[in-house]
Amino acid sequence: MTLTVDNHVDLGPFNTLAVPARAKYFTQLDSLDQIDELIDFLSREQLPLLLLGGGSNVVLADDFSGLAVKLNLLGVNIQERGDQVLVSAMAGENWHALVEHCLSNNIYGLENLALIPGTVGAAPIQNIGAYGVELESVFHSLDAVDLKTGERKTFSKVDCQFGYRDSIFKNAAKDRYVITRVNLSLSKTPASDLRYPALQQALEGVEKVTPQAVFDAVCRVRASKLPDPKDIPNAGSFFKNPVIANSLFETLKQAHPEMPGYPQANDCTKLAAGWLIDQSGWKAKPVGRVQMHALQALVLTNPNCDSGQAILTLARAVQADILQRFGVTLEIEPRVYGCE
Ligand code: FAD
Ligand code: NAP
């Protein structure tokens, strides 16, 4: 199948913030056979590249002067070895559909990660996490193609250098690889992680805590506070939760006794960025035509499909205010294209 490249394409439908930025070139990758052609095109034209799965973790600051590639590689393979199950999914598969597919086949381990938008191929990029579980806890390996050399490579868990909403693909290997397949190590035995307090609360009164009950609870809580991008465009949490030294946390706690903090390794504490934003009065406060969401202040919403610049104006104002009030730097979680 040959790659079709279009010009000046509106990326509005391809990012969940619905930013109407245009890509100079745009193509869709439907098959692994097209990757060599993609690499030839990139090296011939010397273009910046924007790989897009579901577009739920990107901010398009401006029009994109390079090639945007929507990744549509599809397919799921399941191999059972006794109680262990290796689930291999192609990068373009929808993440939530994969979670549902596993559950309906009595394959467990993904329940806490239900309803996260986007694709399987993007999941390792920021080591997606929710309700106390991160991708790395079920990750086996991934297949990728080096966009410079065309070399096919397999990354183990160690190779991926996973961290808190972080991996090698946001750092040393940024923009170097297209992830084509992700292999997950799951189980036929239910072993849901129920440590997260909001999840425990949502399961109160549930008689039998099955993986299906956990999945349902996660979906219920998420739907009650997170805006569906189809209704109100957003990219989920706009900032990472800052991790600060315990000494700074103790000082902050004296001034704000009710400030939540979660102990981390290396004498550090994780703060809830949403709490800081809420306390500072940004929740539901319109700035231009964008605002931090009324039900979860960490989510920046773009109801009128405004520009990336409008979004970044609000983000910078929030960052400056939080720094001034608390001495804490908020880092934007989605990848910003166009002003790096
Ligand atoms: P995209 O936005 O398309 O891409 C994100 C980045 O990954 C880009 O830099 C892109 O170039 C790169 N990329 C994508 N696919 C590939 C590939 N195959 N190979 C190489 N690079 C690639 N995140 C969480 O961690 N936990 C949550 O609970 C969560 N909840 C969310 C809720 C909402 C309502 C929304 C809108 C977002 C949420 N997110 C959450 C963020 C987002 O859904 C995840 O980060 C998701 O994994 C992004 O997938 P995507 O396919 O949309 O990635
Ligand atoms: P929440 O339960 O209201 O909690 C607020 C914040 O406190 C969360 O960000 C969470 O950090 C942290 N937290 C709460 N209890 C914790 C504990 N026992 N140990 C460590 N950290 C704790 O959060 P929410 O907004 O409804 O989101 C629920 C889950 O979905 C969270 O895990 C969140 O990360 C995830 N989510 C992520 C995105 C995204 O775009 N990245 C969007 C929506 C929801 P963590 O974020 O580190 O878990």
mmCIF file of all heavy atoms in Angstrom, residues 5-6 61 85 88 92 121 141 179 228 243 247 277 279 285 293 299 301 308 310 331:
data_model
loop_
_atom_site.group_PDB
_atom_site.id
_atom_site.type_symbol
_atom_site.label_atom_id
_atom_site.label_comp_id
_atom_site.label_asym_id
_atom_site.label_seq_id
_atom_site.Cartn_x
_atom_site.Cartn_y
_atom_site.Cartn_z
ATOM 1 N N VAL A 5 0.279 11.355 0.718
ATOM 2 C CA VAL A 5 0.597 12.542 1.517
ATOM 3 C C VAL A 5 -0.261 13.713 1.031
ATOM 4 O O VAL A 5 -0.251 14.057 -0.152
ATOM 5 C CB VAL A 5 2.098 12.896 1.418
ATOM 6 C CG1 VAL A 5 2.408 14.156 2.214
ATOM 7 C CG2 VAL A 5 2.953 11.727 1.898
ATOM 8 N N ASP A 6 -1.031 14.296 1.968
ATOM 9 C CA ASP A 6 -1.866 15.456 1.642
ATOM 10 C C ASP A 6 -1.208 16.733 2.162
ATOM 11 O O ASP A 6 -0.369 16.681 3.070
ATOM 12 C CB ASP A 6 -3.260 15.301 2.271
ATOM 13 C CG ASP A 6 -4.004 14.124 1.681
ATOM 14 O OD1 ASP A 6 -3.972 13.972 0.454
ATOM 15 O OD2 ASP A 6 -4.586 13.335 2.460
ATOM 16 N N ALA A 61 0.809 24.151 19.332
ATOM 17 C CA ALA A 61 0.934 25.581 19.629
ATOM 18 C C ALA A 61 0.699 26.430 18.391
ATOM 19 O O ALA A 61 0.229 27.560 18.485
ATOM 20 C CB ALA A 61 2.325 25.854 20.200
ATOM 21 N N VAL A 85 -0.554 -14.503 30.456
ATOM 22 C CA VAL A 85 -1.045 -14.228 29.102
ATOM 23 C C VAL A 85 -0.220 -13.086 28.508
ATOM 24 O O VAL A 85 -0.072 -12.030 29.140
ATOM 25 C CB VAL A 85 -2.538 -13.795 29.125
ATOM 26 C CG1 VAL A 85 -3.085 -13.706 27.712
ATOM 27 C CG2 VAL A 85 -3.372 -14.765 29.946
ATOM 28 N N SER A 88 -0.317 -8.958 22.740
ATOM 29 C CA SER A 88 0.446 -8.082 21.838
ATOM 30 C C SER A 88 -0.532 -7.264 21.010
ATOM 31 O O SER A 88 -1.359 -7.837 20.294
ATOM 32 C CB SER A 88 1.310 -8.907 20.885
ATOM 33 O OG SER A 88 2.224 -9.671 21.627
ATOM 34 N N GLY A 92 -1.853 1.256 16.793
ATOM 35 C CA GLY A 92 -3.037 2.076 16.505
ATOM 36 C C GLY A 92 -4.302 1.602 17.198
ATOM 37 O O GLY A 92 -5.352 2.244 17.088
ATOM 38 N N GLY A 121 -0.013 2.431 21.213
ATOM 39 C CA GLY A 121 1.371 2.823 20.904
ATOM 40 C C GLY A 121 1.855 4.004 21.723
ATOM 41 O O GLY A 121 3.057 4.158 21.965
ATOM 42 N N SER A 141 7.290 -5.772 26.722
ATOM 43 C CA SER A 141 8.261 -5.229 25.769
ATOM 44 C C SER A 141 7.509 -4.471 24.680
ATOM 45 O O SER A 141 6.277 -4.514 24.634
ATOM 46 C CB SER A 141 9.068 -6.367 25.127
ATOM 47 O OG SER A 141 8.176 -7.260 24.497
ATOM 48 N N ILE A 179 6.765 3.533 17.624
ATOM 49 C CA ILE A 179 6.408 2.294 18.323
ATOM 50 C C ILE A 179 5.339 1.600 17.484
ATOM 51 O O ILE A 179 4.333 2.224 17.116
ATOM 52 C CB ILE A 179 5.883 2.611 19.744
ATOM 53 C CG1 ILE A 179 7.019 3.204 20.583
ATOM 54 C CG2 ILE A 179 5.304 1.361 20.414
ATOM 55 C CD1 ILE A 179 6.572 3.825 21.897
ATOM 56 N N ASP A 228 -15.553 14.479 28.748
ATOM 57 C CA ASP A 228 -15.286 13.681 27.551
ATOM 58 C C ASP A 228 -14.847 14.654 26.450
ATOM 59 O O ASP A 228 -15.575 15.601 26.136
ATOM 60 C CB ASP A 228 -16.586 12.954 27.145
ATOM 61 C CG ASP A 228 -16.362 12.052 25.937
ATOM 62 O OD1 ASP A 228 -15.448 12.313 25.142
ATOM 63 O OD2 ASP A 228 -17.128 11.078 25.800
ATOM 64 N N VAL A 243 6.746 16.792 42.118
ATOM 65 C CA VAL A 243 7.388 16.021 43.194
ATOM 66 C C VAL A 243 8.459 16.935 43.798
ATOM 67 O O VAL A 243 9.345 17.412 43.088
ATOM 68 C CB VAL A 243 7.997 14.719 42.625
ATOM 69 C CG1 VAL A 243 8.724 13.943 43.712
ATOM 70 C CG2 VAL A 243 6.891 13.857 42.008
ATOM 71 N N SER A 247 11.469 18.610 52.707
ATOM 72 C CA SER A 247 11.702 19.817 53.510
ATOM 73 C C SER A 247 10.798 20.960 53.022
ATOM 74 O O SER A 247 10.180 21.674 53.821
ATOM 75 C CB SER A 247 13.169 20.227 53.445
ATOM 76 O OG SER A 247 13.564 20.282 52.100
ATOM 77 N N ILE A 277 -4.023 24.373 41.962
ATOM 78 C CA ILE A 277 -4.707 25.217 40.969
ATOM 79 C C ILE A 277 -6.066 25.666 41.510
ATOM 80 O O ILE A 277 -6.442 26.848 41.412
ATOM 81 C CB ILE A 277 -4.858 24.440 39.631
ATOM 82 C CG1 ILE A 277 -3.471 24.149 39.043
ATOM 83 C CG2 ILE A 277 -5.703 25.203 38.626
ATOM 84 C CD1 ILE A 277 -3.466 23.139 37.912
ATOM 85 N N GLN A 279 -6.963 25.882 44.728
ATOM 86 C CA GLN A 279 -6.759 26.825 45.836
ATOM 87 C C GLN A 279 -6.416 28.220 45.342
ATOM 88 O O GLN A 279 -6.634 29.207 46.030
ATOM 89 C CB GLN A 279 -5.584 26.341 46.726
ATOM 90 C CG GLN A 279 -5.882 25.092 47.496
ATOM 91 C CD GLN A 279 -7.013 25.287 48.487
ATOM 92 O OE1 GLN A 279 -6.965 26.179 49.304
ATOM 93 N NE2 GLN A 279 -8.044 24.464 48.377
ATOM 94 N N LYS A 285 -12.420 29.405 35.922
ATOM 95 C CA LYS A 285 -12.278 30.848 35.663
ATOM 96 C C LYS A 285 -11.881 31.030 34.187
ATOM 97 O O LYS A 285 -10.766 30.643 33.799
ATOM 98 C CB LYS A 285 -11.178 31.396 36.581
ATOM 99 C CG LYS A 285 -10.839 32.843 36.362
ATOM 100 C CD LYS A 285 -9.806 33.254 37.406
ATOM 101 C CE LYS A 285 -9.066 34.486 37.003
ATOM 102 N NZ LYS A 285 -8.022 34.822 37.970
ATOM 103 N N HIS A 293 -11.039 23.097 34.305
ATOM 104 C CA HIS A 293 -12.362 22.475 34.413
ATOM 105 C C HIS A 293 -12.976 22.607 35.816
ATOM 106 O O HIS A 293 -12.282 22.484 36.826
ATOM 107 C CB HIS A 293 -12.239 21.001 34.047
ATOM 108 C CG HIS A 293 -13.533 20.293 33.877
ATOM 109 N ND1 HIS A 293 -14.535 20.734 33.028
ATOM 110 C CD2 HIS A 293 -14.013 19.163 34.439
ATOM 111 C CE1 HIS A 293 -15.548 19.909 33.080
ATOM 112 N NE2 HIS A 293 -15.268 18.948 33.926
ATOM 113 N N VAL A 299 -7.538 19.841 34.662
ATOM 114 C CA VAL A 299 -7.860 19.624 33.250
ATOM 115 C C VAL A 299 -8.165 20.963 32.574
ATOM 116 O O VAL A 299 -9.100 21.659 32.970
ATOM 117 C CB VAL A 299 -9.077 18.676 33.118
ATOM 118 C CG1 VAL A 299 -9.493 18.516 31.658
ATOM 119 C CG2 VAL A 299 -8.762 17.316 33.738
ATOM 120 N N THR A 301 -9.642 23.027 29.626
ATOM 121 C CA THR A 301 -10.642 22.748 28.590
ATOM 122 C C THR A 301 -10.675 23.861 27.534
ATOM 123 O O THR A 301 -10.427 25.031 27.838
ATOM 124 C CB THR A 301 -12.057 22.584 29.193
ATOM 125 O OG1 THR A 301 -12.422 23.801 29.836
ATOM 126 C CG2 THR A 301 -12.108 21.444 30.183
ATOM 127 N N GLY A 308 -3.825 26.989 19.977
ATOM 128 C CA GLY A 308 -2.830 26.516 20.937
ATOM 129 C C GLY A 308 -2.272 27.670 21.754
ATOM 130 O O GLY A 308 -1.954 27.513 22.943
ATOM 131 N N ALA A 310 -3.882 30.326 22.778
ATOM 132 C CA ALA A 310 -4.851 30.660 23.840
ATOM 133 C C ALA A 310 -4.672 29.686 25.001
ATOM 134 O O ALA A 310 -4.730 30.074 26.179
ATOM 135 C CB ALA A 310 -6.275 30.591 23.293
ATOM 136 N N GLU A 331 4.926 21.479 35.595
ATOM 137 C CA GLU A 331 5.418 21.119 34.262
ATOM 138 C C GLU A 331 4.230 20.655 33.419
ATOM 139 O O GLU A 331 3.400 19.866 33.891
ATOM 140 C CB GLU A 331 6.414 19.964 34.424
ATOM 141 C CG GLU A 331 7.175 19.593 33.177
ATOM 142 C CD GLU A 331 7.967 18.288 33.392
ATOM 143 O OE1 GLU A 331 8.357 17.994 34.537
ATOM 144 O OE2 GLU A 331 8.147 17.570 32.401
#
